[in-house]
Amino acid sequence: MAEQSPAVPRDLAGAIAAIRSGPQGPEVAAVFDFAAVVDGFGRPSLWRRTFRSNKGATATDTLLDSIRNELTDGEYSRFLQQAMRTLADQPEAELDELGTHLFRKKIYGHLYPEAWQLIRTHEAAGHTVVLVTALTRFQVEPAAAELGIEYVLYTRMATTDGVLTGYADGKTLWRNGKADAVREFAAAHALDITHSYAYADSIADLPLLSVVGHPVAVNPDRQLATAAVEQNWPVLTFRPRRPPRPIDYLRTIAGFAGLLAGALVGVLSKSYTRQRRKMADALMAYGTGATLGTTGIRLRVSGAENARAPRPAVFLFNHQSQFDVIIVPKVLEGGVTGIGKKELTKNPIFGPLMRFVGVTFIDRANTTQAKAALAPVVQTLRDGLSIAVSPEGTRSYTPGVGPFKKGAFHIAIQAGVPVIPVVIRNAGEVNWRNSMVARKGTVDVAILDPIDVSSWDPTDMDGNVEAVRQLYTDTLLNWPSPDH
């Protein structure tokens, strides 16, 4: 019988605490079934219990429908039959590209942030994290890459000269096949499976959960929920990522109207001064306030005192949402401009407003021009105006923080100002990466202590930059109390 913890965690906080107080090191595995990482998003009732059976189904249908469905034995068998028809004669490279495309367009918004927290917590404990699925690599590897998971187990598809035959290559990772694959992986990597963890949602994964010492049922189906109660296993509930509702579209439209109206009011309120900076600050204050109010997005801030001093500074924010351009100016309360990608100039709403407040736009495709464009930013800082910039350079597909570019740190060193991390949590929940639609909710913002970069060697700052990036991950996993 599987080893049981003395106290069975009943919520995410309890599960995280148990991981931190439990066995540490790479010999402990944390095995996540794919369905415990991504929800069955947008599941149409027509597909709830069946797959497409007509011959018009495409490779896209096969890859997406099998994620959307709650798979039973019969449905998994139908998935394999459909895969034989739609994936046969498809080059592996093209299916890899299709899988990445589908993840970035359809799937990324349905990754559970709770799963991301667990993955990072296991990682911090030194555990070997594994993602496992009965599906194909084309469905799971793009998510694994974004989540930073190195080891992925999946049902392999047979190929000839890089082209799929349509048949599985060896045993499928369904039921006992999945458990056997994890056992084999554990043996090959000298893992202590009796102290390892597994997360799954389906009764079909009962063999997998029974293999490890710390099984956890995540959003379990009825049969697995019953088994979990009988076995005294932890049960975690992750909130599904819902698609936008009509009210969300209405709030978003109202939010953009509020942004434009607030911006106009702000400019007019300070127009008598004839000072562009004061008008710009008022534009941001009124515009962002109106937008957040009409969309129903509330900000909960910790470390607010660091937004006001020292000034000037380079404020670095992690970037997951288009609403970050609303959130950051609001919490920094004026005296700040920004650096943005050139593509934003084409945005009919944000483009003109960002130009008015003095944002510097750079062409990321042209490194030489980008460096030349940043040169005046140093003078902007020396003149007393702070800068807000995302060191990732692009929005993340997960709650995690991507690699940092060094440009913002070079600017801070040259201008003789500190960098101040601004850590944003939940922005991707209220506004997905590739969406303009906002959902009502709360966004947490932590403004960390200033970091003096004056002693950094501009020619050798990789370690320092990585240490700053790690602060974001640490803060996201150990969130500070909000200011009152």
Side-chain angles (χ1 to χ4, degrees):
M1 184 174 175
E3 178 182 319
Q4 299 298 321
S5 302
V8 178
R10 300 299 181 187
D11 57 18
L12 182 63
I16 289 173
I19 295 166
R20 290 172 174 168
S21 63
Q24 311 287 291
E27 68 277 5
V28 176
V31 181
F32 288 82
D33 182 70
F34 189 45
V37 171
V38 61
D39 67 27
F41 60 95
R43 185 178 292 125
S45 59
L46 179 62
W47 304 121
R48 187 175 295 274
R49 293 298 173 194
T50 185
F51 282 100
R52 300 174 191 261
S53 58
N54 62 74
K55 294 182 179 180
T58 65
T60 295
D61 298 330
T62 299
L63 299 183
L64 284 181
D65 290 347
S66 52
I67 297 174
R68 286 174 169 148
N69 275 266
E70 296 172 343
L71 296 181
T72 63
D73 291 334
E75 286 162 352
Y76 185 66
S77 177
R78 284 191 286 273
F79 158 68
L80 292 176
Q81 293 171 14
Q82 183 169 311
M84 288 175 60
R85 292 196 305 271
T86 63
L87 303 186
D89 300 324
Q90 297 272 359
E92 279 185 296
E94 291 184 9
L95 288 174
D96 283 329
E97 290 180 6
L98 176 60
T100 300
H101 172 78
L102 293 177
F103 174 81
R104 293 179 176 177
K105 295 296 182 182
K106 300 283 188 180
I107 299 171
Y108 77 93
H110 299 276
L111 293 174
Y112 290 120
E114 300 94 333
W116 178 86
Q117 282 187 273
L118 288 171
I119 291 167
R120 294 287 85 84
T121 302
H122 280 292
E123 208 174 53
H127 296 167
T128 300
V129 180
V130 183
L131 191 60
V132 62
T133 183
L135 303 177
T136 70
R137 82 163 195 243
F138 315 114
Q139 294 151 296
V140 69
E141 281 198 336
E146 289 294 337
L147 290 166
I149 299 177
E150 178 181 358
Y151 300 108
V152 186
L153 307 178
Y154 50 84
T155 295
R156 297 183 178 276
M157 304 301 290
T159 62
T160 300
D161 297 329
V163 177
L164 269 67
T165 66
Y167 295 94
D169 182 6
K171 192 174 183 179
T172 62
L173 270 61
W174 182 251
R175 287 194 178 269
N176 288 324
K178 187 178 294 183
D180 290 344
V182 170
R183 285 194 191 94
E184 292 170 7
F185 179 87
H189 291 79
L191 303 178
D192 181 357
I193 204 163
T194 62
H195 287 95
S196 294
Y197 300 75
Y199 301 85
D201 75 328
S202 169
I203 191 63
D205 292 317
L206 187 61
L208 167 65
L209 294 172
S210 300
V211 163
V212 299
H214 299 285
V216 182
V218 175
N219 289 0
D221 59 24
R222 181 178 55 81
Q223 290 176 290
L224 182 58
T226 300
V229 170
E230 292 173 350
Q231 298 287 338
N232 196 31
W233 290 346
V235 176
L236 299 182
T237 301
F238 295 170
R239 183 174 57 83
R241 293 20 272 174
R242 62 173 176 81
R245 299 171 297 177
I247 187 64
D248 297 320
Y249 286 95
L250 292 175
R251 284 200 189 101
T252 302
I253 294 171
F256 285 132
L259 174 62
L260 295 174
L264 179 60
V265 169
V267 171
L268 292 176
S269 71
K270 296 295 181 180
S271 60
Y272 70 92
T273 67
R274 298 183 181 277
Q275 296 182 35
R276 187 183 180 112
R277 188 67 252 158
K278 289 186 176 181
M279 288 189 283
D281 286 346
L283 179 157
M284 289 189 285
Y286 282 87
T288 58
T291 303
L292 295 171
T294 51
T295 54
I297 297 174
R298 186 170 72 94
L299 300 183
R300 191 164 48 192
V301 181
S302 64
E305 67 279 3
N306 292 323
R308 296 182 285 272
R311 292 287 189 103
V314 175
F315 290 94
L316 308 177
F317 63 93
N318 57 311
H319 198 16
Q320 194 184 1
S321 163
Q322 298 201 54
F323 253 61
D324 293 340
V325 298
I326 301 295
I327 295 166
V328 173
K330 183 63 178 177
V331 299
L332 297 184
E333 299 180 339
V336 179
T337 186
I339 301 172
K341 59 184 179 180
K342 184 179 179 181
E343 293 89 331
L344 285 171
T345 60
K346 299 177 183 178
N347 188 295
I349 296 176
F350 292 131
L353 297 179
M354 293 173 77
R355 279 194 292 267
F356 187 85
V357 301
V359 169
T360 298
F361 295 100
I362 60 173
D363 183 358
R364 295 181 300 179
N366 190 317
T367 304
T368 302
Q369 288 186 8
K371 289 181 178 179
L374 290 177
V377 176
V378 174
Q379 188 59 48
T380 296
L381 286 161
R382 290 172 176 166
D383 290 342
L385 187 62
S386 294
I387 296 292
V389 61
S390 167
E392 295 166 280
T394 188
R395 297 186 301 278
S396 170
Y397 286 98
T398 75
V401 183
F404 278 8
K405 300 180 185 298
K406 300 175 187 174
F409 298 94
H410 282 293
I411 290 170
I413 292 171
Q414 293 175 40
V417 302
V419 299
I420 300 179
V422 178
V423 188
I424 305 172
R425 183 176 72 167
N426 298 335
E429 292 290 284
V430 300
N431 177 231
W432 289 358
R433 181 190 190 277
N434 294 330
S435 173
M436 292 297 292
V437 181
R439 299 163 178 77
K440 184 178 180 180
T442 299
V443 174
D444 293 310
V445 182
I447 307 173
L448 307 186
D449 293 337
I451 299 172
D452 182 2
V453 297
S454 60
S455 63
W456 288 17
D457 180 355
T459 65
D460 183 20
M461 63 169 68
D462 288 356
N464 289 326
V465 171
E466 180 56 29
V468 174
R469 195 193 72 85
Q470 186 61 41
L471 281 176
Y472 288 75
T473 298
D474 294 343
T475 303
L476 288 168
L477 292 177
N478 301 277
W479 197 258
S481 299
D483 298 334
H484 298 287

